[in-house]
Amino acid sequence: MAAYKTLNSQDIIISPLEVSKGFSFEGNALTASDVGIDRYLGNKFAVQSSTGYITEYSQSAIYFQTQQLYYSNFVSSSNGNVQIANTQSINPDGTVTGRMASNAFENFIPTDLLPQRFWMTASYLAAKLTGSAYGEVNYGEAIYGINQFEPEIGILSIPRNLFGDYIIPKSLKITTDSGSYFDDGEGRLKLKTNSGPVFVGNVIYEHGIIILTGGTRKDTINGAEDGGYGTDIYGNDVYGVTFSGDEILNFVTGSEITCSFSSSYTIYETQYKCTIGESDFNVSQNPSISSGSDGKLLDFASENYFSPYVTTIGLYNDQKDLLAVAKLGQPLPTSTTTDTSVLINIDRQ
């Protein structure tokens, strides 16, 4: 048996609380069943090749899905900036002349600064230099040779149960055999070098996606922050940075990798104010105060001085289904002269 009282809207207060939690994983721990961080290799032309440790996809699908979601406004641009919009004319008969606008996509840009959304759309050539005259690069063995690279990207995907609402900006750190990466708080992934950090990708905080993009960058465009042609990743005065091959493979397939980040969760605290009026619930529901099959109250329970004690409060829906039970730390006597209020707090995501 239970007694019910309806709660009104003013009896319920919902308050958001933002909390954070830090995570750190190393090597194979990234893809453990209780972690679920996956890594993918995206290749424009590798339609038949699969990628992914936990869930497999076509490498080509990874490439084009990433392009559509996060780089569609930047495909035909330079310098990692937004591409120039196409224009069109609407004729009096409703037909359209000209090209459809192509930079109206939502690419989840977290900054008002240059977003550095560098994207490769075709194979590219890079010099294979060795020796001290032109610095050292890691691609090839022949001096003054040329290597051709296909458009490739590396993806690190963090599941929602880890990053929560979003990855906290400036909390991401990744280390591979190729070096240390970090986010700059503006959604841009950087590689630490002796001459300063270099932009090498992007971080989509609200999706838990880290993207490492390959390609050739000019120092003054997409390289070291201070510009110029000084010392960079692959030697002195190489006039640009080629980032591909081993760097992306170490990011995607390397076992010597560490990843740490902080996630943000919003917890909602719902407070229910249960008010017992001075004339409410003045009879105990405890069966020990009644005697016999007729349910007659014992003498002490019918006296004016008797006051029931509250020990448990249940929250029900409109169909009288029990949804939650609140237990008091100690029995609370009700008052016959004033209202008694009990606050129930429930936290949820």
Side-chain angles (χ1 to χ4, degrees):
M1 181 178 179
Y4 301 96
K5 186 171 183 178
T6 302
L7 296 177
N8 300 316
S9 58
Q10 62 265 27
D11 297 322
I12 304 173
I13 300 175
I14 300 177
S15 304
L17 175 64
E18 188 169 311
V19 297
S20 62
K21 183 177 181 179
F23 296 92
S24 181
F25 304 101
E26 182 175 353
N28 295 330
L30 269 69
T31 55
S33 59
D34 59 341
V35 177
I37 297 177
D38 216 344
R39 292 183 285 169
Y40 301 98
L41 176 66
N43 186 304
K44 183 176 183 179
F45 306 119
V47 178
Q48 302 298 325
S49 300
S50 61
T51 181
Y53 292 86
I54 301 172
T55 304
E56 291 190 353
Y57 297 96
S58 162
Q59 292 184 15
S60 178
I62 292 293
Y63 175 90
F64 284 108
Q65 288 173 4
T66 305
Q67 173 182 299
Q68 178 64 30
L69 283 172
Y70 307 122
Y71 295 87
S72 49
N73 292 336
F74 304 86
V75 172
S76 63
S77 71
S78 59
N79 305 352
N81 210 341
V82 178
Q83 63 199 11
I84 299 174
N86 297 320
T87 58
Q88 60 180 359
S89 300
I90 301 178
N91 303 317
D93 60 357
T95 60
V96 176
T97 302
R99 301 176 63 185
M100 296 292 290
S102 61
N103 64 344
F105 297 98
E106 171 56 67
N107 286 157
F108 307 98
I109 306 298
T111 180
D112 293 330
L113 304 178
L114 182 63
Q116 300 288 352
R117 292 290 175 97
F118 177 81
W119 189 255
M120 309 84 57
T121 58
S123 298
Y124 55 94
L125 303 177
K128 299 187 299 185
L129 303 178
T130 60
S132 58
Y134 296 94
E136 294 185 0
V137 295
N138 297 325
Y139 305 111
E141 299 175 354
I143 298 179
Y144 307 118
I146 296 294
N147 246 347
Q148 178 169 320
F149 297 99
E150 295 180 346
E152 286 185 335
I153 60 171
I155 300 288
L156 191 146
S157 176
I158 300 172
R160 170 76 65 176
N161 64 304
L162 291 184
F163 74 81
D165 298 326
Y166 57 88
I167 297 173
I168 296 178
K170 288 191 174 182
S171 70
L172 178 69
K173 293 179 177 58
I174 299 174
T175 303
T176 72
D177 286 338
S178 299
S180 298
Y181 306 87
F182 66 97
D183 78 285
D184 67 350
E186 302 291 343
R188 302 174 297 191
L189 186 67
K190 293 184 177 182
L191 172 67
K192 291 182 180 180
T193 72
N194 293 332
S195 59
V198 179
F199 296 109
V200 293
N202 302 97
V203 181
I204 316 301
Y205 297 116
E206 64 266 47
H207 292 171
I209 299 293
I210 297 93
I211 307 167
L212 188 65
T213 55
T216 300
R217 289 90 187 262
K218 298 295 184 183
D219 291 353
T220 54
I221 294 175
N222 217 5
E225 287 183 305
D226 56 359
Y229 297 106
T231 302
D232 218 314
I233 300 177
Y234 301 113
N236 297 326
D237 301 324
V238 183
Y239 302 103
V241 174
T242 298
F243 194 85
S244 185
D246 292 341
E247 287 74 20
I248 291 180
L249 288 178
N250 285 336
F251 190 84
V252 174
T253 64
S255 60
E256 299 298 324
I257 182 172
T258 61
C259 176
S260 62
F261 59 92
S262 294
S263 59
S264 176
Y265 292 85
T266 300
I267 294 177
Y268 296 91
E269 181 183 76
T270 304
Q271 184 179 86
Y272 299 89
K273 183 181 180 181
C274 302
T275 301
I276 304 171
E278 59 185 59
S279 59
D280 296 336
F281 305 105
N282 51 15
V283 177
S284 175
Q285 302 296 311
N286 194 321
S288 64
I289 67 170
S290 61
S291 64
S293 58
D294 57 356
K296 183 180 178 180
L297 295 177
L298 297 176
D299 292 340
F300 77 90
S302 60
E303 297 292 340
N304 292 333
Y305 62 82
F306 177 76
S307 177
Y309 283 70
V310 179
T311 59
T312 304
I313 298 178
L315 298 179
Y316 296 79
N317 60 14
D318 293 337
Q319 289 72 42
K320 301 297 188 294
D321 297 323
L322 181 61
L323 304 179
V325 175
K327 294 282 189 179
L328 277 67
Q330 60 185 23
L332 175 68
T334 59
S335 173
T336 58
T337 59
T338 186
D339 292 346
T340 302
S341 294
V342 179
L343 301 181
I344 302 174
N345 294 325
I346 298 178
D347 294 337
R348 61 177 178 83
Q349 277 191 292

